[in-house]
Amino acid sequence: STTEELRERAYETDKVISYEGKMLTVDEANRKWQEYQAEGNSKANELTTLIANAKATIREQYPDEG
């Protein structure tokens, strides 16, 4: 697997985002973000930060080679 594939799998499967008492994957958080964004809900902003932090952590675990 390439590091990109490993990151994608981590986004799909690793429950790394703690939000409202639940653990979410990056992909699950992205879906929630889209729902909130569509409603104009300010919770989207909070999720933006959590998603960015989770992605940064996953990128550190699976850095690009070279």
Side-chain angles (χ1 to χ4, degrees), residues 26-40:
V26 170
D27 285 2
E28 288 168 339
N30 273 324
R31 282 193 288 278
K32 268 198 187 304
W33 180 89
Q34 288 172 334
E35 290 169 21
Y36 290 143
Q37 193 69 5
E39 296 168 358

Side-chain angles (χ1 to χ4, degrees), residues 9 13 16-17 21 23-24 30 45 47-48 61:
R9 192 167 310 129
T13 61
V16 292
I17 297 174
M23 292 304 291
L24 305 173
N30 273 324
N45 296 336
L47 275 170
T48 296
Q61 289 176 306

Side-chain angles (χ1 to χ4, degrees), residues 4-57:
E4 190 174 343
E5 288 169 334
L6 291 169
R7 281 197 298 262
E8 289 297 323
R9 192 167 310 129
Y11 296 157
E12 289 171 17
T13 61
D14 293 4
K15 302 235 178 219
V16 292
I17 297 174
S18 175
Y19 186 69
E20 295 187 331
K22 292 189 179 131
M23 292 304 291
L24 305 173
T25 67
V26 170
D27 285 2
E28 288 168 339
N30 273 324
R31 282 193 288 278
K32 268 198 187 304
W33 180 89
Q34 288 172 334
E35 290 169 21
Y36 290 143
Q37 193 69 5
E39 296 168 358
N41 190 320
S42 62
K43 287 182 178 183
N45 296 336
E46 186 183 347
L47 275 170
T48 296
T49 304
L50 294 171
I51 290 165
N53 291 343
K55 283 185 156 188
T57 300

